[in-house]
């Protein structure tokens, strides 16, 4: 039974298409895109601005419905779920770090991190909250509101919130987009540690070769589909070289 289960990928995207607009203004963003994130894998998605990376993440998260195709998380078809079902499923199994953070301004740091768990009518684990905030360098900022934080601090709150409920799958949209190189490196190291310790699967979108090099696999998106995939072997230089070669 367990063996059977371990063959199920954390995420399976099958022939997903998604476009926006109507008539002449119609733009096809994802075109029959397929992608598999094996259980326990850490993968990065790269590609030009506007190529559909955030759209892909939102479709996987169940926040945007695809026009066609299927998304399965841990073997469950999220595209077939009702809105309410998908929301409940997401709160329990998926942690999302949005490109624009999506923190709630009226709540402080600790309350923002606990929010998805409270919405799920569960009791937040105080020890885990302390540990995560400490780990992310936010222990002394737990009573601050988002507007009283720097961009990098807000980003770390968003990461803490995504990880708080120990999700099976973490989806992160440019989680280091607002950080300096050293801080971005710190977030990468942290994600890698958490990935190892908590056995979650991570799908992360980034423009940064240093961040992409932390992943086991890098996928390049072009014309709405995964056009190439490779193992960066921890080498940001190799990612840059492949990227330039690919998108030249
Ligand atoms: N809600 C929407 N309505 C209409 N068009 C949209 C919508 N969301 C995204 N788009 C368009 O879809 C395309 C892909 O957008 P998306 O945000 O997925 O790109 P991206 O690869 O994440 O870019 P970036 O690297 O700049 O974040 C863009 O051309 C964008 O303008
Ligand atoms: Mg984006």
């Amino acid at each position: 039974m367990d063996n059977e289960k371990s063959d199920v990928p954390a995420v399976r995207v099958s022939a997903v298409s998604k476009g926006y607009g109507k008539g002449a203004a119609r733009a096809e963003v994802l075109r029959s895109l397929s992608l598999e994130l094996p259980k326990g894998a850490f993968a990065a998605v790269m590609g030009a601005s506007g190529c559909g990376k955030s759209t892909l993440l939102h479709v996987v998260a169940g926040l945007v419905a695809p026009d066609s195709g299927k998304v399965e998380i841990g073997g469950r078809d999220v595209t077939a779920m009702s809105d309410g079902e998908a929301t409940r499923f997401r709160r329990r199994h998926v942690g999302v770090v949005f490109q624009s953070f999506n923190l709630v301004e009226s709540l402080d740091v600790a309350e923002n991190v606990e929010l998805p768990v409270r919405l799920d009518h569960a009791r937040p684990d105080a020890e885990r909250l302390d540990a995560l905030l400490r780990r992310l360098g936010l222990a002394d900022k737990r009573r601050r509101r988002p507007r009283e934080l720097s961009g990098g601090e807000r980003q770390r709150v968003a990461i803490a919130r995504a990880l708080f409920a120990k999700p099976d799958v973490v989806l992160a949209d440019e989680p280091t987009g607002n950080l300096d190189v050293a801080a971005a490196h710190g977030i990468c190291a942290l994600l890698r540690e958490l990935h190892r310790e908590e056995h979650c699967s991570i799908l992360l979108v980034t423009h940064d070769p240093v961040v992409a090099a932390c992943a086991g696999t890098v996928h390049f998106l072009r014309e709405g589909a995964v056009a190439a995939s490779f193992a960066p072997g921890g080498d940001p230089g190799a990612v840059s070289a492949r990227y330039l070669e690919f998108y030249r």
Side-chain angles (χ1 to χ4, degrees), residues 44 46 212 215-220 228-233 235 238-243:
M46 300 186 87
T217 308
V218 178
H219 302 288
F220 286 162
S229 304
F230 71 103
D235 179 4
V239 176
S240 300
R242 287 292 287 262
Y243 193 92

Side-chain angles (χ1 to χ4, degrees), residues 57-81:
L57 233 58
H58 292 167
V59 168
V60 173
L63 298 165
V64 166
D67 298 331
S68 59
K70 188 160 90 169
V71 175
E72 291 155 284
I73 295 184
R76 296 278 312 276
D77 183 351
V78 289
T79 33
M81 290 179 188

Side-chain angles (χ1 to χ4, degrees), residues 20 29 48-55 99 174 207:
Y20 294 107
V29 177
S49 180
C51 77
K53 302 179 298 299
S54 294
T55 303
Q99 193 166 5
E174 298 189 37
H207 288 294

Side-chain angles (χ1 to χ4, degrees), residues 6-36:
S6 65
D7 290 340
V8 174
V11 177
R12 182 187 278 139
V13 179
S14 312
V16 159
S17 293
K18 174 70 189 173
Y20 294 107
K22 287 202 169 72
R26 173 102 187 143
E28 303 300 336
V29 177
L30 304 179
R31 300 165 187 246
S32 196
L33 183 149
S34 295
L35 172 74
E36 221 172 85

